Amino acid sequence: MNKKITYWLLGETAGRTSVAAWKWLWGLPVESGGKIAQNVAQESIVSMQESIIQLKDAVAKIAAAYGLAKQQYHLKADELSQAEQQAKVAHKQGNQEAARLAITKAIAIEKILPQLSDRVAQAEAMMQKARNKLKRETEKLEAYKLEMKNLETLAKINGAMAEISDISTDLDLDSARSHFN
């Protein structure tokens, strides 16, 4: 039933290719005709390669965003350290107004640092998740490429067997053997 709907939606050729691709990806037998299965597998691998390129770009963007978030956090932490140092120096010099101003700045920065730290941790977790997905997808692609090579080898052997079968039918070897017996 699903096959008929797919053929109706996509047309005969695209539908057959899509159904065969899904069957191949799920490890189900693809319709007979080794060339069709081989073409479907090749199209699937090309599609997976394109997806991996997009995923690599996404991982690079996430890593850049993480780097920016981490950099901003460190800048704020340095700013806190400077404000605290300014407060100490102003207090030693007896400048209470400058000391209060520096302490107020330090307190404001201290309030926001935990939020920044949480965001940096979230960005790092997202980056790790994206990198892990890229690694898994790359490993899957390599496995499918290996299966593709195996499928190509099988198609060649099937072609050779078909040729042998044609020759043996043309020569009718079994009949000659039975006449001999």
Side-chain angles (χ1 to χ4, degrees), residues 14-106:
R16 184 179 320 115
T17 302
S18 297
V19 168
W22 277 107
K23 284 183 175 182
W24 179 72
L25 288 171
W26 283 97
L28 300 173
V30 179
E31 295 169 2
S32 61
K35 218 43 171 158
I36 293 173
Q38 191 175 354
N39 290 341
V40 167
Q42 187 62 43
E43 289 174 13
S44 296
I45 286 176
V46 168
S47 176
M48 288 174 72
Q49 286 172 330
E50 291 169 356
S51 295
I52 286 180
I53 289 170
Q54 291 173 347
L55 190 56
K56 281 181 182 179
D57 290 343
V59 168
K61 288 176 183 176
I62 290 170
Y66 167 70
L68 180 65
K70 192 174 177 181
Q71 179 185 23
Q72 291 299 312
Y73 174 80
H74 288 300
L75 287 174
K76 277 296 176 187
D78 290 345
E79 195 177 330
L80 172 65
S81 191
Q82 290 172 359
E84 289 172 341
Q85 189 65 29
Q86 287 172 354
K88 288 178 186 176
V89 169
H91 182 69
K92 282 184 182 179
Q93 293 176 349
N95 189 347
Q96 297 303 322
E97 188 176 320
R100 264 186 264 141
L101 186 60
I103 288 176
T104 302
K105 185 178 179 180

Side-chain angles (χ1 to χ4, degrees), residues 101-152:
L101 186 60
I103 288 176
T104 302
K105 185 178 179 180
I107 290 171
I109 294 171
E110 279 182 342
K111 286 182 181 178
I112 199 167
L113 274 181
Q115 291 175 6
L116 294 177
S117 178
D118 288 344
R119 300 259 167 87
V120 168
Q122 288 173 352
E124 183 178 17
M126 289 176 67
M127 182 183 66
Q128 289 301 326
K129 185 176 178 182
R131 284 182 176 168
N132 289 338
K133 181 174 182 165
L134 176 61
K135 181 182 173 187
R136 284 191 312 271
E137 293 300 317
T138 302
E139 288 171 356
K140 277 186 200 177
L141 176 63
E142 293 305 315
Y144 287 139
K145 282 182 179 179
L146 181 61
E147 280 194 44
M148 177 65 190
K149 286 181 182 178
N150 292 343
L151 187 60
E152 288 171 353

